[in-house]
Amino acid sequence: APDRPACYSSSKPSTVSCLIKSTMAPSLATTVAGIPLPTCVYNASGPRTGSSAALAKIAASDSGGILAKSATVSSQTGNPQPRTWHEPETNVASLNSEGLPNSGIDYYISPDTITESVGSATSDKKPYMVSISGKNLHDNLEMLKKIADARKSDPRIAAVELNLACPNVIGKPIIAYDFDQMDAVLAAVSNLGGVPPLGVKMPPYMDGPHFERAAQVINKYKGMVKYVASINTIGNAFAVDIAAEMPVISSNGGFAGLSGRAVKYTALANVKKMRDLLDPSIDVVGVGGVETGADAFEMILCGASAVQVGTCHWNEGPKCFDRICDELRAIMVEKGYGSVDDFKGKLKPWSKEGAAVARAAKKAKQGGGGGVKAGGSATSAKKGGNDPYVLISAILAIVMAVLLADKFGMVEI
């Protein structure tokens, strides 16, 4: 009889996740900045990333890497509460004006924190990465020097993400909207030695010339910048509490960064533009509104080497990484893709033939045929619907029957 999957238990039937990974086995492995990731989905720096305990939960999930909270030179508590808000009716959007609460860079680069976050057994499989967001250039350079020094004795710090896109520090502008300032920051960083592979967290751009200017600056430092993460939250969003006739956020006059499903299409545009304009040696990591496997698939199709998940992780917890990875594997199985590279950056131009395929898929969906939604995201498992989980459910039923038969001695597998 063939060997059972590693996740098989004689006392517990295989899960959907086990079946997808063991029976179908499309690979979600990728590389970002030359660093191998076992899956192409990992956490964004933000909520649920500020402590080693929170990071350890990410490490125990299907997340392909562990990215710590954006750090400042010293620990800080951030903006006054309430500083976060989730749209209550459809959960389509979230606002945050946290103001970078974090434990300080020394905490995130200490060997104890890294070990508590990823554990010595997994550190060589899932990279541990830090994020920094200094209040000024001096702070960023100081933190980069600390990281370089720490890495001499602890090479587990695989990469550093330089956040030039935070909109929520009161009185501090978004650096990456000032292209001359962004150029000056990267020029200063390029003079440092020993810094691990560098990524840059980018804000959302809306105008063609801005995309081009941002790409020109990043390309100027292609020997140093190994990836960009697009996008951070859309700054200066606003929501009103009708009953109280006031903003829902207390700090910064109620203005805050917008995230969640509402930003996905802006994020997709930024991923596509950055991939088109950046040097091929610079990877693009897609961030913004990713909460299903279909969202991740779209990001990668537009050219992302990997995707980060922020608001969905905030709302759902680290189990979201398992679910999103399972949904992405299901889509890959349905489409016949065995690896991320099979479809990465291979978005097709609009065509009449493609539109016919989309209409046929929509018709099959309406008729109960399952499959991925034409022209949009698949509905996640927690929301119900006839997405690729229909296929997985059918396979699960068959395998469950075989496993039960095996348990009661009817067949040998």
Side-chain angles (χ1 to χ4, degrees):
D3 292 336
R4 294 183 174 99
C7 50
Y8 172 84
S9 169
S10 59
S11 61
K12 182 179 180 182
S14 299
T15 62
V16 170
S17 178
C18 172
L19 291 173
I20 296 172
K21 296 173 188 174
S22 302
T23 306
M24 304 173 186
S27 174
L28 299 189
T30 190
T31 59
V32 172
I35 302 165
L37 276 66
T39 71
C40 57
V41 180
Y42 67 107
N43 70 287
S45 180
R48 296 183 183 262
T49 63
S51 69
S52 59
L55 295 171
K57 293 177 182 178
I58 296 170
S61 75
D62 257 354
S63 176
I66 302 97
L67 178 59
K69 180 83 170 177
S70 285
T72 48
V73 173
S74 302
S75 63
Q76 58 184 43
T77 57
N79 294 336
Q81 301 277 6
R83 59 195 185 194
T84 61
W85 174 82
H86 299 289
E87 192 277 319
E89 299 298 327
T90 62
N91 201 32
V92 71
S94 295
L95 296 181
N96 93 78
S97 183
E98 287 198 312
L100 293 174
N102 72 95
S103 297
I105 188 61
D106 290 338
Y107 172 80
Y108 297 107
I109 62 177
S110 73
D112 287 345
T113 298
I114 299 173
T115 298
E116 291 166 2
S117 298
V118 303
S120 58
T122 60
S123 60
D124 60 338
K125 297 178 182 178
K126 291 187 177 183
Y128 177 84
M129 298 163 277
V130 294
S131 173
I132 62 171
S133 186
K135 296 178 181 179
N136 50 51
L137 176 57
H138 179 271
D139 284 0
N140 280 325
L141 295 178
E142 181 180 345
M143 287 190 285
L144 286 168
K145 291 174 183 176
K146 284 176 174 283
I147 293 167
D149 289 342
R151 200 166 183 252
K152 292 176 183 177
S153 58
D154 194 340
R156 291 180 296 173
I157 303 173
V160 56
E161 189 168 286
L162 176 60
N163 185 353
L164 300 182
C166 183
N168 299 322
V169 179
I170 298 172
K172 299 294 182 181
I174 296 174
I175 293 173
Y177 282 154
D178 182 338
F179 300 116
D180 290 338
Q181 185 182 9
M182 180 166 69
D183 194 342
V185 168
L186 294 178
V189 172
S190 68
N191 292 323
L192 299 177
V195 176
L198 182 74
V200 177
K201 186 69 171 283
M202 304 289 279
Y205 296 106
M206 310 291 183
D207 196 18
H210 293 166
F211 285 116
E212 293 171 4
R213 185 73 180 95
Q216 286 173 0
V217 173
I218 295 296
N219 283 335
K220 183 177 176 180
Y221 300 95
K222 65 181 181 181
M224 176 183 69
V225 177
K226 301 302 180 183
Y227 76 90
V228 298
S230 291
I231 57 173
N232 205 335
T233 56
I234 298 177
N236 291 314
F238 199 87
V240 173
D241 185 313
I242 294 178
E245 300 181 5
M246 68 179 188
V248 298
I249 300 290
S250 69
S251 60
N252 199 25
F255 292 92
L258 175 67
S259 65
R261 272 185 287 156
V263 311
K264 188 186 86 169
Y265 301 100
T266 298
L268 279 171
N270 276 258
V271 166
K272 182 66 169 67
K273 280 287 192 179
M274 287 295 107
R275 184 62 283 156
D276 289 346
L277 295 171
L278 288 176
D279 188 89
S281 65
I282 302 171
D283 291 322
V284 177
V285 176
V287 199
V290 175
E291 59 179 40
T292 69
D295 296 333
F297 183 88
E298 292 171 11
M299 288 280 190
I300 296 167
L301 194 66
C302 286
S305 294
V307 299
Q308 293 178 359
V309 181
T311 301
C312 181
H313 176 219
W314 184 12
N315 291 331
E316 190 177 335
K319 65 182 180 180
C320 73
F321 299 109
D322 298 10
R323 176 182 58 75
I324 292 170
C325 285
D326 284 349
E327 291 175 1
L328 179 55
R329 290 185 184 99
I331 292 170
M332 291 170 66
V333 168
E334 183 176 10
K335 289 179 169 289
Y337 295 132
S339 72
V340 169
D341 286 339
D342 287 348
F343 61 95
K344 183 177 71 175
K346 296 180 179 179
L347 184 71
K348 301 171 185 177
W350 190 94
S351 66
K352 292 181 178 179
E353 295 78 11
V357 171
R359 287 194 298 271
K362 183 178 181 180
K363 184 176 181 180
K365 179 75 173 180
Q366 292 172 340
V372 181
K373 277 188 177 181
S377 300
T379 306
S380 69
K382 67 178 180 179
K383 298 173 187 170
N386 297 321
D387 63 6
Y389 267 74
V390 173
L391 172 66
I392 302 306
S393 297
I395 296 172
L396 176 61
I398 295 170
V399 177
M400 283 279 289
V402 174
L403 291 176
L404 288 172
D406 174 46
K407 181 176 180 180
F408 290 104
M410 298 173 64
V411 297
E412 176 63 28
I413 63 172

